[in-house]
Amino acid sequence: MSGIYIHIPFCREACHYCNFHFSTTHSHKQRVVGAILKEIELRKNYLPSNKIESIYFGGGTPSILFQSELDAIFNEIYKYFDVVEGAEITLEANPDDLNAARLKELKKSPINRLSIGVQSFRDEDLKWMNRAHSAKEAIESIKLAKQIGFNSLSIDLIYGTPNLSNEAWKENILQGIDLGVNHISSYCLTVETKTALSHLIEKGKIDPLSEEQASQQFDVLIETLELNAFEQYEISNFAKDGKYAVHNTNYWMNKPYLGIGPSAHSFNQTERSWNIANNILFAEAIEKNELPLETELLSMANKLNEYVMTSLRTKWGCSLDYIETNFGYKYAEQIEQQAYPHLLKKHLIKDGQTLFISREGKFFSDGIASDLFLL
Ligand code: SF4
């Protein structure tokens, strides 16, 4: 089974911290959506199996699309792929797009899961981030989505922003829990190059972010969510009642996916490819029946490193038996040896033949994983 990711590269505002591919100019939206429809057909044979268990609209801001545009994309997907019954179909949506009328339209479509870009329930944070919505709109959108029958609701929350105290951060998390969402994705604010945030820090208008504060707030996040019956099933993802995100879990399980739209990445277990991150060049190429993508054939080391990186971030851990079966005994042994210093520091735990990142190691997970990589 596989997944389909559709990248919608348009936003209402440019959030100061964001380095995803998007444009706030919407004059080319219709043309890009047309190219997306055509790309679905052009790449209908990319995946090893055309059985689809998850579809994910990300961006950008997919909730910017008209319902007719979403319907056209669904028509194209259903024409060329076998979307299994009960497939998870997620739309990333921003609170300012989710009024009652819009939510009712979405509910009638195949979408059965919303991932709402809340980021914070505090207006001062939202203003600082240059988000297009208010805290009130965020709260209203979640209440309305529940009333209209979306049972699978995720929100995104950001921590580590300069004016966010640990107490205010805890209140933010509790607000999300009180609203009854069953999935929370939470990321530490990072300073990406070429973003407004990095320029503001360079010019001294904003203080550099504190790693100590970020680490404390990560602890607050884990503690608060665990106390409220959320399970940390991936470093940045928490679910209640086993409502894991199917689409993202499949990424971590190395299942294949097809990425459609400008900048979208694809993976078919043999190679990775990524589309050009430019709306006009993307549309021009697709209109000429050309695929504007680059491809990297994955070496054995690439595949093994990716397995280590993604599996260690999850609650299922990194299986040495899996490595032995799929890559060979000597690699399982090598990784176990490289894990030894982290086992001593108790940043890693070995249970049977599986390595897990400990609570203490979670904040350093990427560094730990890279220490286990094959060169
Ligand atoms: S809405 Fe999302 S994709 Fe768009 S600029 Fe903000 S963070 Fe980036």
Side-chain angles (χ1 to χ4, degrees):
M1 294 246 224
S2 309
I4 294 179
Y5 172 81
I6 311 277
H7 190 84
I8 306 299
F10 300 101
C11 293
R12 297 195 194 286
E13 299 282 350
C15 302
H16 284 337
Y17 56 85
C18 180
N19 74 338
F20 293 143
H21 170 65
F22 68 93
S23 168
T24 51
T25 306
H26 297 179
S27 45
H28 301 297
K29 181 161 77 98
Q30 207 180 345
R31 188 175 177 194
V32 170
V33 171
I36 283 174
L37 298 178
K38 193 162 178 192
E39 193 191 2
I40 294 170
E41 180 185 354
L42 290 175
R43 301 187 72 194
K44 61 180 189 284
N45 296 322
Y46 174 81
L47 293 165
S49 144
N50 81 337
K51 281 207 180 305
I52 300 299
E53 65 176 330
S54 68
I55 301 172
Y56 193 100
F57 289 85
T61 308
S63 53
I64 259 174
L65 291 186
F66 299 130
Q67 191 58 44
S68 56
E69 294 170 324
L70 276 174
D71 290 343
I73 294 173
F74 279 125
N75 280 344
E76 223 49 20
I77 292 175
Y78 282 86
K79 198 192 294 180
Y80 297 111
F81 295 91
D82 177 10
V83 181
V84 301
E85 211 179 320
E88 177 193 87
I89 304 182
T90 304
L91 182 86
E92 280 184 359
N94 276 350
D96 44 313
D97 290 325
L98 296 180
N99 58 32
R102 182 76 184 105
L103 280 160
K104 281 180 190 159
E105 275 181 335
L106 292 171
K107 190 74 184 86
K108 283 192 214 143
S109 78
I111 291 159
N112 51 27
R113 183 172 183 273
L114 292 178
S115 172
I116 304 181
V118 170
Q119 316 308 350
S120 174
F121 291 105
R122 296 172 0 120
D123 280 328
E124 66 176 287
D125 296 340
L126 295 170
K127 213 166 154 204
W128 186 89
M129 296 175 196
N130 201 37
R131 298 286 302 172
H133 64 270
S134 65
K136 187 164 175 264
E137 282 174 310
I139 293 169
E140 276 309 301
S141 68
I142 297 168
K143 286 184 179 167
L144 274 173
K146 286 197 76 182
Q147 276 167 24
I148 285 163
F150 281 100
N151 302 320
S152 219
L153 275 182
S154 180
I155 58 170
D156 288 350
L157 292 175
I158 289 181
Y159 59 93
T161 50
N163 297 324
L164 186 69
S165 68
N166 291 354
E167 294 68 37
W169 171 230
K170 187 169 179 176
E171 274 167 35
N172 248 347
I173 304 164
L174 290 171
Q175 173 76 84
I177 295 167
D178 283 351
L179 286 164
V181 300
N182 43 30
H183 190 279
I184 295 181
S185 299
S186 186
Y187 297 92
C188 180
L189 183 71
T190 49
V191 184
E192 305 289 350
T193 51
K194 295 189 190 152
T195 58
L197 180 59
S198 75
H199 293 310
L200 291 167
I201 291 177
E202 273 162 29
K203 285 186 190 154
K205 294 190 174 172
I206 292 179
D207 289 337
L209 308 179
S210 153
E211 225 177 89
E212 174 61 25
Q213 177 202 353
S215 160
Q216 286 175 13
Q217 293 184 357
F218 186 54
D219 282 341
V220 171
L221 174 73
I222 297 174
E223 271 165 30
T224 310
L225 288 174
E226 275 179 0
L227 275 174
N228 286 279
F230 278 77
E231 182 187 8
Q232 186 179 22
Y233 71 105
E234 195 266 351
I235 294 282
S236 307
N237 285 278
F238 300 79
K240 203 168 181 179
D241 306 326
K243 285 273 191 186
Y244 309 138
V246 174
H247 192 79
N248 292 350
T249 303
N250 287 349
Y251 285 159
W252 306 320
M253 298 285 178
N254 279 319
K255 290 198 187 174
Y257 56 88
L258 170 63
I260 298 285
S263 83
H265 285 231
S266 303
F267 168 67
N268 65 2
Q269 293 173 325
T270 308
E271 62 179 40
R272 284 196 180 280
S273 62
W274 51 97
N275 282 347
I276 192 164
N278 179 303
N279 292 352
I280 299 294
L281 296 180
F282 167 79
E284 277 175 2
I286 297 282
E287 286 159 6
K288 287 188 268 177
N289 290 327
E290 291 166 7
L291 294 177
L293 51 78
E294 287 181 63
T295 298
E296 178 192 21
L297 207 58
L298 294 173
S299 65
M300 196 275 292
N302 292 146
K303 289 180 190 171
L304 179 49
N305 292 345
E306 283 191 18
Y307 171 71
V308 170
M309 175 65 117
T310 49
S311 64
L312 272 181
R313 290 180 61 93
T314 70
K315 72 164 196 163
W316 299 282
C318 175
S319 161
L320 296 170
D321 285 340
Y322 176 89
I323 293 173
E324 186 175 332
T325 308
N326 290 279
F327 300 96
Y329 172 73
K330 69 173 183 173
Y331 296 111
E333 201 180 51
Q334 185 178 336
I335 284 182
E336 195 173 351
Q337 275 169 11
Q338 289 173 197
Y340 191 65
H342 293 290
L343 288 164
L344 276 183
K345 277 191 251 170
K346 300 202 184 330
H347 285 173
L348 278 177
I349 297 163
K350 185 169 173 234
D351 185 0
Q353 280 299 90
T354 307
L355 296 168
F356 299 92
I357 294 207
S358 68
R359 173 77 180 267
E360 295 72 36
K362 274 183 179 162
F363 196 66
F364 317 104
S365 60
D366 288 351
I368 295 171
S370 65
D371 286 346
L372 305 196
F373 284 176
L374 292 187
L375 292 178

